Amino acid sequence: MKMYGIERKKSVKYFNNNGFTMLEMLFAFSIFLMIVSFLPVSFNFLFQDWKMEARTQRLEWHVFINQLKKEIRLADTANISPVSIVLTIDGKSVIYEKYGSNLRRRVDMKGHEIVLQKLDAITFSTFNGGVEINVSDNFDQKHSAFLYYLMNMEDVDVP
């Protein structure tokens, strides 16, 4: 039943019941801006992953040097060539040699343990009382280390 002559009052409560208010729009826009503000940071992280790999390569180098230092000090004999190191430890032959872009360790010419990865070049050279190792990797980093033998120290008389 319709009533004529009575005018219904208009208020905000009834006027915008199904609409999208300005407050809702500002709230949605602020969430959108927060999401978009993280995009440059995430792109920077995604496209510069090589920096993380370069740091990992440095850590790998330090672990390798500590392992090799221990084996050189325990070695009975050591034969150094520009491309490999052959150590004799308790009658076993331990060889470090470049294999592709990796440096591998083998015991008695068996096994295949990768100790360094992503190498461009590695050289071994001998000097009085030790070995010098020079490495350049795929990240344009150069590493070098001097490792000293303890096998000849038994012959030295200590006063």
Side-chain angles (χ1 to χ4, degrees):
M1 165 158 136
K2 286 191 173 183
M3 300 179 96
Y4 297 102
I6 299 177
E7 195 175 314
R8 190 171 174 184
K9 290 185 176 180
K10 293 181 180 179
S11 71
V12 175
K13 182 177 179 184
Y14 297 108
F15 190 67
N16 276 338
N17 201 13
N18 295 326
F20 191 66
T21 65
M22 179 69 115
L23 184 62
E24 290 171 332
M25 191 236 4
L26 288 174
F27 182 71
F29 188 64
S30 65
I31 291 175
F32 171 75
L33 287 178
M34 280 195 285
I35 292 171
V36 169
S37 69
F38 288 114
L39 285 178
V41 175
S42 63
F43 284 143
N44 190 17
F45 180 74
L46 290 174
F47 294 125
Q48 292 188 3
D49 191 37
W50 61 271
K51 288 183 181 178
M52 183 66 87
E53 288 185 28
R55 280 188 239 139
T56 305
Q57 183 75 11
R58 280 194 301 267
L59 290 173
E60 190 176 283
W61 165 255
H62 290 296
V63 170
F64 162 70
I65 285 301
N66 285 327
Q67 176 186 356
L68 185 61
K69 191 185 302 184
K70 179 181 176 184
E71 285 194 329
I72 284 179
R73 289 181 179 167
L74 292 174
D76 300 325
T77 61
N79 296 323
I80 312 298
S81 72
V83 294
S84 67
I85 296 178
V86 180
L87 304 172
T88 306
I89 303 172
D90 296 330
K92 293 183 179 181
S93 172
V94 178
I95 184 169
Y96 287 90
E97 61 188 353
K98 189 171 186 216
Y99 182 75
S101 65
N102 300 321
L103 182 70
R104 71 176 175 181
R105 176 183 181 267
R106 298 171 71 190
V107 179
D108 287 334
M109 300 304 284
K110 297 176 186 169
H112 177 80
E113 180 183 355
I114 301 295
V115 291
L116 274 179
Q117 303 177 50
K118 300 178 183 170
L119 301 178
D120 281 337
I122 183 164
T123 59
F124 304 101
S125 58
T126 185
F127 66 93
N128 190 16
V131 60
E132 178 184 7
I133 303 169
N134 292 309
V135 171
S136 64
D137 59 20
N138 292 346
F139 305 104
D140 295 328
Q141 299 181 100
K142 298 197 182 316
H143 307 284
S144 65
F146 295 95
L147 306 176
Y148 297 94
Y149 307 129
L150 293 182
M151 61 189 87
N152 297 331
M153 298 299 264
E154 298 168 352
D155 300 336
V156 178
D157 291 330
V158 178

